[in-house]
Amino acid sequence: MIRTLLSFTALAFALGTTAHAQAPAPAAAYPTKPIRLIVPFPPGGGTDILSRLVATKLTEGAKWTVVADNKAGAGGTIGIGEAVKAAPTGYDIVMGQKDNLVIGPWLYKNLPWDPTKDLTPVAHVAWTPVVIATSVNSKYKTLADVVAAAKAAPGTITYGSPGNGTSIHLAGHLFEQAAGAKLSHIPYKGSNPALMDALAGNVDLLVSSLPSAMGQIKAGKLRPLAVTSAKRSSSLPDVPTVAESGFKDFDVSTWYGVFAPAGTPAPVVATLNAEVNKLLATADMKAAIQAQGAEPEAMTSAQLGALLKKEYTQWKGIVEASGAKIE
């Protein structure tokens, strides 16, 4: 009897030891080192401004070290490509938005990645309307003035954008269609060069993300004529929408969100999402984002993924109809 009891006890101990050895180890704390936030556009533009704001506030609030790293080029697709190739550990993340995730794949031929498969949605940050503006010294005081001049002399009114095929260029293209007026698009390599030429009067109009233009609007050097979203921007409550200016149902806006390489562990994604959403709920962060002309909006990672998939499909036809394809 004693031998049987001892044998049973030994077996139970052995099984318990084996079970303990095979149990998954607790997840390591995250983060334990600096996080790189890839910014796929040059310094000074809307994506750069919001990315650096997120990096700074996460460093301050969560006590993490988050470093913004500009990897610009090809409409933001180079920076996305770098994120796709990074190890899925949560230490390389990227600020994606409509230009590089929704439009870029239809614009650039044979991109080696698919945003709906090769990236993991992490956290939505903000959305912003596009603004149609002109130098404060311009003769155009309203959007109606621009349309009248464009119809009187088709193709003579120029507008600058951050680049061919960007969501901002396509907002200008959709406005031309809605107004039945022909404008001349002048693409630049980023928001800042377009802004500088608009201020100098080298182009008649600037079509821009609101964060990129907000500083010069506040300085009184740039006159906003309209915003392209369905409702007015809380940052510019006195500026009418394109729809209010006579073009019913016009609604074009862009959004910004944090993404990670596909395969990033779910606990890491959950931690990042929670910290970004916690940040967006603070009065300080809300005010900072709105000061740049954007609207903060928290989402779950699943909601951001659904937004990406919906717009990825929707904008294919818009890009093809614009003729903005880049080989």
Side-chain angles (χ1 to χ4, degrees):
M1 178 70 180
I2 293 174
R3 179 179 297 175
T4 303
L5 182 60
L6 288 173
S7 298
F8 179 79
T9 303
L11 176 63
F13 176 78
L15 288 173
T17 302
T18 302
H20 177 74
Q22 292 177 345
Y30 171 85
T32 58
K33 62 181 182 179
I35 299 169
R36 179 175 69 139
L37 175 55
I38 299 169
V39 185
F41 289 93
T47 304
D48 179 71
I49 292 168
L50 287 176
S51 297
R52 292 183 182 280
L53 188 56
V54 168
T56 299
K57 295 297 184 181
L58 279 178
T59 297
E60 293 173 355
K63 307 305 179 185
W64 296 353
T65 300
V66 183
V67 181
D69 184 19
N70 294 86
K71 297 292 180 181
T77 61
I78 289 177
I80 295 296
E82 179 151 337
V84 165
K85 292 184 292 184
T89 57
Y91 291 101
D92 291 281
I93 57 179
V94 64
M95 184 66 78
Q97 37 96 296
K98 183 177 284 186
D99 281 345
N100 47 32
L101 297 181
V102 171
I103 294 171
W106 305 120
L107 184 67
Y108 293 89
K109 187 177 180 181
N110 298 326
L111 281 180
W113 47 264
D114 180 329
T116 65
K117 298 176 182 178
D118 297 320
L119 290 171
T120 298
V122 173
H124 186 270
V125 174
W127 66 271
T128 178
V130 173
V131 63
I132 302 174
T134 189
S135 165
V136 72
N137 299 317
S138 167
K139 62 183 178 182
Y140 304 118
K141 302 296 191 294
T142 67
L143 204 57
D145 292 342
V146 172
V147 173
K151 287 185 174 180
T156 60
I157 308 299
T158 57
Y159 74 93
S161 84
N164 190 40
T166 59
S167 61
I168 294 168
H169 163 217
L170 294 178
H173 171 74
L174 292 172
F175 172 67
E176 287 184 72
Q177 290 184 327
K182 176 62 178 172
L183 304 175
S184 289
H185 174 228
I186 310 297
Y188 289 82
K189 292 182 178 180
S191 299
N192 225 34
L195 174 63
M196 293 299 103
D197 260 13
L199 291 173
N202 295 329
V203 287
D204 298 304
L205 301 172
L206 173 70
V207 182
S208 170
S209 71
L210 200 44
S212 298
M214 198 66 182
Q216 296 301 329
I217 291 173
K218 287 181 176 179
K221 296 180 180 180
L222 201 61
R223 177 186 300 131
L225 302 179
V227 293
T228 61
S229 48
K231 61 182 181 180
R232 294 192 181 197
S233 166
S234 62
S235 304
L236 295 174
D238 296 330
V239 177
T241 65
V242 171
E244 289 175 325
S245 302
F247 307 99
K248 187 179 178 181
D249 298 326
F250 195 93
D251 180 14
V252 179
S253 58
T254 193
W255 49 263
Y256 306 84
V258 177
F259 291 78
T264 299
V268 170
V269 173
T271 298
L272 284 165
N273 178 270
E275 288 298 334
V276 172
N277 287 350
K278 186 190 300 183
L279 189 62
L280 294 176
T282 65
D284 182 49
M285 186 63 168
K286 286 180 180 178
I289 290 176
Q290 289 174 334
Q292 299 300 329
E295 307 291 339
E297 183 178 7
M299 290 185 183
T300 64
S301 58
Q303 288 172 325
L304 176 58
L307 173 65
L308 171 63
K309 288 180 179 178
K310 182 189 78 171
E311 293 214 336
Y312 181 67
T313 300
Q314 175 187 346
W315 278 77
K316 177 182 180 182
I318 296 173
V319 172
E320 290 175 347
S322 75
K325 193 80 174 176
I326 296 175
E327 298 299 328

